[in-house]
Amino acid sequence: MRRTVKAVLFASGYILAFVVLPPLALRFVPEGLIVRMTTFMGLEVQAILTTLALIGLAMAATSFVEKMTDDWSPLHLLSSISKEGVSFYLTLYFIGLADPWSFGLVNRLIHVEQPMAPRLALTLLLDFRNIVILFAFIMGLSILKEALGFYYSRREKETTSPSI
Amino acid sequence: MTSRAVRYLGIAATLGGLIVMVAFFVGLYTMGYSLMGSLMPREGEEPFKIGMTPDPSGALTLEFSMGVRNQGFLGTTFTVSLELLSADGESIVRGSDTKALPPGSSGELEVEMTVTPEDVVRYALETSRPTLSFGFNIRSLFDLIGMGISFPMEMGGG
């Protein structure tokens, strides 16, 4: 019972943070800024919200399964690794300005309005590849921790379970 | 013993993630604020000065200077790179300058490029409208992250 409550609470937290809150927060952003983001930087706000919602649902599902299963269960290991993968994807998504496959190297054309002059086309370059490598290393540590936890709890279970 | 190792790994991963995230945001703040401070200076100041002076020998000297400010919390390296392109987009001459600045300090980036008399004639720089490709890059957080902008500027003929 306590486990179910914990699992539901964690999953609800992810749904609240990624599915419910972003569209609500968007209502407080001036419409002009949203139009500028779309026109000048090519950022589609609706697509970003949809991606965030999908990430939130994936996080909620993996977190729910993780909390509902025992440490020795292969399903627990699988859900933990999936959660790490999804959160790494989220990091890539933010760092890559909605383009996760850029792996931290963003090269984007921006159109800037100038008073009394033609539009200026700027190229914005962001190089966050080293940060992506650091986050990948941290994800590796987390996966190693989950794998070791799974291995030892499985071994413990095998040694303590009564033999037939 | 083994559960302790797993716990330590978990703590290391969580702490590592937090440290990287905080460092990333501090670096991002430093670069963004310094980029804006350098390209959008205070009222009455110009972001950069540029001049093209002809030489008696027929060569053209292009002088560029730009004030930069590190307005963040980390040491930052500023680089400006320029490339003069002919009306057809051919590279005529290029130059760059780099300066590393500690937090709260300011400096000047200077680039001087000389176009040979032969190139002045070949690319008809006296009459055509060459383009100056401007690139401005900032690196911070021990050179781990970088940010930059580039854009073309059309120069007046002659």
Side-chain angles (χ1 to χ4, degrees):
Chain A
M1 181 63 189
R2 207 174 146 207
R3 177 187 270 191
T4 313
V5 172
K6 204 175 162 187
V8 168
L9 274 177
F10 268 86
S12 310
Y14 283 118
I15 289 174
L16 189 72
F18 291 100
V19 184
V20 180
L21 285 181
L24 289 177
L26 196 68
R27 289 184 190 178
F28 296 98
V29 179
E31 203 169 319
L33 185 68
I34 298 171
V35 172
R36 250 176 277 155
M37 273 170 68
T38 312
T39 319
F40 302 147
M41 291 192 73
L43 292 174
E44 292 288 344
V45 177
Q46 203 50 52
I48 292 172
L49 287 181
T50 309
T51 309
L52 278 183
L54 288 174
I55 288 172
L57 289 175
M59 293 283 267
T62 50
S63 163
F64 185 79
V65 175
E66 188 191 19
K67 294 280 179 289
M68 287 298 285
T69 49
D70 290 307
D71 286 356
W72 48 262
S73 157
L75 207 57
H76 180 90
L77 178 67
L78 194 71
S79 56
S80 306
I81 293 174
S82 306
K83 205 173 91 181
E84 293 300 332
V86 173
S87 63
F88 184 61
Y89 179 84
L90 179 70
T91 309
L92 287 179
Y93 190 77
F94 274 117
I95 283 180
L97 293 184
D99 178 14
W101 309 121
S102 66
F103 289 100
L105 188 66
V106 180
N107 200 339
R108 192 155 297 175
L109 196 68
I110 302 172
H111 299 282
V112 181
E113 297 272 14
Q114 303 179 103
M116 314 288 282
R119 260 187 177 191
L120 178 68
L122 291 172
T123 304
L124 175 73
L125 182 81
L126 302 174
D127 182 6
F128 301 143
R129 284 172 294 179
N130 292 319
I131 294 294
V132 169
I133 292 169
L134 286 174
F135 275 122
F137 176 72
I138 286 159
M139 180 183 70
L141 271 187
S142 303
I143 290 174
L144 181 67
K145 178 227 158 196
E146 297 298 341
L148 282 177
F150 168 75
Y151 172 75
Y152 288 124
S153 45
R154 200 163 178 86
R155 209 171 64 169
E156 198 180 324
K157 184 186 173 272
E158 277 165 8
T159 50
T160 53
S161 60
S163 51
I164 303 163
Chain B
M1 178 64 194
T2 49
S3 67
R4 197 180 288 174
V6 172
R7 199 184 306 147
Y8 285 153
L9 254 180
I11 292 169
T14 311
L15 267 181
L18 272 174
I19 290 168
V20 171
M21 206 174 281
V22 170
F24 176 57
F25 280 114
V26 172
L28 206 58
Y29 172 85
T30 298
M31 290 194 307
Y33 208 38
S34 299
L35 186 91
M36 293 302 223
S38 301
L39 290 175
M40 296 172 191
R42 297 182 194 103
E43 221 176 293
E45 287 179 27
E46 286 175 353
F48 47 78
K49 289 181 194 123
I50 187 162
M52 218 174 188
T53 44
D55 201 77
S57 66
L60 269 178
T61 304
L62 197 143
E63 285 168 321
F64 176 95
S65 67
M66 172 184 188
V68 285
R69 281 192 203 102
N70 181 353
Q71 297 184 312
F73 302 115
L74 302 167
T76 305
T77 307
F78 296 84
T79 303
V80 67
S81 45
L82 300 168
E83 187 175 14
L84 190 68
L85 303 163
S86 71
D88 299 327
E90 270 185 87
S91 175
I92 302 169
V93 67
R94 62 177 72 180
S96 67
D97 190 19
T98 299
K99 201 147 270 168
L101 293 175
S105 62
S106 56
E108 186 107 346
L109 292 173
E110 288 167 326
V111 181
E112 193 177 297
M113 302 185 294
T114 306
V115 186
T116 59
E118 295 80 41
D119 281 346
V120 172
V121 175
R122 190 191 305 161
Y123 297 108
L125 293 183
E126 299 288 343
T127 50
S128 69
R129 295 179 75 85
T131 305
L132 186 69
S133 174
F134 169 82
F136 182 56
N137 289 286
I138 295 181
R139 290 197 75 84
S140 193
L141 192 64
F142 311 106
D143 212 28
L144 286 176
I145 55 175
M147 181 186 270
I149 61 159
S150 62
F151 56 88
M153 290 188 277
E154 202 171 88
M155 311 277 289

